[in-house]
Amino acid sequence: MGQCGITSSKTVLVFLNLIFWAAAGILCYIGAYVFITYDDYDHFFEDVYTLIPAVIIIAVGTLLFIIGLIGCCATIRESSCGLATFAAILLLVFVTECVVVVLGYIYRAKVEDEVNHSIQKVYNEYNGTNTDAPSRAIDYVQRQLHCCGIHNYSDWRNTHWFKESKNNSVPVSCCQPSISNCTGTLTRPGDLYQEGCEALVVKKLKEIMMYVIWAALTFASIQMLGMLCACVVLCRRSHDPAYELLVTTNSYA
């Protein structure tokens, strides 16, 4: 009966190692996605530490490839040392992912303050040229999120670009795609996006951070199961003479 239990635990371990390899790819993808997306919105927040959870997620994903290899080798070779190392590394990664969850919640709460602090400055730096980074960032956000201005399109009246251009219009990135020949003129406000960008940028960044948090929580749960199975195999192997005899006999054979 004990041998059957050990075999079941080993089967689960091998299966979990395959999951770890898949998880490694998923975590690296999520981390890269966060980096790429935040790069599109980096003008709207100044705290670079917001990306720390994404950096850790990528590091954990890379480490999971190594963990899966160690776990498979240790399970197939029935190595006590290998299984102990496997369990110890899993514990370390589990703690790291718990840190990611905590940091994710901390920085998710800071996103709104960061955007509120920076967005007015970015809009004031807008000059309407593609060579200017803040201008590209604002045009990109307005087109992607279907928004215009900070709270609504009328916020453009307070920007340096609007006052200098003196044409009573907002950037064409504020135009709804369904409207043809839209020039951004404020005499036709129905052609423009009605919602402001500030709330939508905050929502987008918070959603991205939630992806990191949920990914860390999900794979932390899987790693808990991996640690449990490794400990079961180690404990039963050390306390079951019949299993030790079987392993020794198989080794000599």
Side-chain angles (χ1 to χ4, degrees), residues 164-224:
E164 290 173 2
S165 61
K166 299 179 181 179
N167 59 7
N168 196 38
S169 65
V170 298
V172 292
S173 57
C174 283
C175 293
Q176 299 185 42
S178 59
I179 306 297
S180 58
N181 300 321
C182 175
T183 60
T185 177
L186 289 178
T187 58
R188 298 181 61 183
D191 294 353
L192 311 175
Y193 294 123
Q194 302 300 304
E195 195 168 357
C197 294
E198 182 179 48
L200 294 179
V201 169
V202 170
K203 180 182 177 182
K204 181 69 174 180
L205 295 178
K206 284 187 174 182
E207 283 178 355
I208 294 169
M209 195 58 68
M210 279 305 300
Y211 295 153
V212 173
I213 292 171
W214 280 112
L217 283 173
T218 301
F219 293 117
S221 302
I222 296 173
Q223 284 158 220
M224 278 289 291

Side-chain angles (χ1 to χ4, degrees), residues 106-239:
I106 291 173
Y107 290 123
R108 186 174 182 270
K110 293 176 63 177
V111 162
E112 188 167 0
D113 290 336
E114 282 289 320
V115 173
N116 292 345
H117 176 72
S118 303
I119 195 166
Q120 183 67 59
K121 176 184 175 183
V122 178
Y123 269 82
N124 279 330
E125 292 176 352
Y126 185 88
N127 64 19
T129 62
N130 286 328
T131 56
D132 182 60
S135 298
R136 289 199 307 271
I138 289 175
D139 286 334
Y140 173 84
V141 166
Q142 292 189 153
R143 289 192 178 99
Q144 290 295 313
L145 301 184
H146 296 173
C147 58
C148 183
I150 299 174
H151 302 103
N152 55 56
Y153 60 83
S154 64
D155 292 324
W156 277 103
R157 296 179 186 273
N158 303 318
T159 64
H160 298 311
W161 174 81
F162 183 89
K163 294 173 182 177
E164 290 173 2
S165 61
K166 299 179 181 179
N167 59 7
N168 196 38
S169 65
V170 298
V172 292
S173 57
C174 283
C175 293
Q176 299 185 42
S178 59
I179 306 297
S180 58
N181 300 321
C182 175
T183 60
T185 177
L186 289 178
T187 58
R188 298 181 61 183
D191 294 353
L192 311 175
Y193 294 123
Q194 302 300 304
E195 195 168 357
C197 294
E198 182 179 48
L200 294 179
V201 169
V202 170
K203 180 182 177 182
K204 181 69 174 180
L205 295 178
K206 284 187 174 182
E207 283 178 355
I208 294 169
M209 195 58 68
M210 279 305 300
Y211 295 153
V212 173
I213 292 171
W214 280 112
L217 283 173
T218 301
F219 293 117
S221 302
I222 296 173
Q223 284 158 220
M224 278 289 291
L225 183 58
M227 285 188 290
L228 179 62
C229 290
C231 290
V232 167
V233 173
L234 282 170
C235 291
R236 289 190 174 178
R237 179 172 180 176
S238 61
H239 292 92

Side-chain angles (χ1 to χ4, degrees), residues 2 5 13 17 24 57 63 65-66 71 82 99 125 153 157 168 226 248:
L13 265 179
N17 286 319
I57 279 289
L63 188 58
F65 277 111
I66 302 173
V99 171
E125 292 176 352
Y153 60 83
R157 296 179 186 273
N168 196 38
T248 305

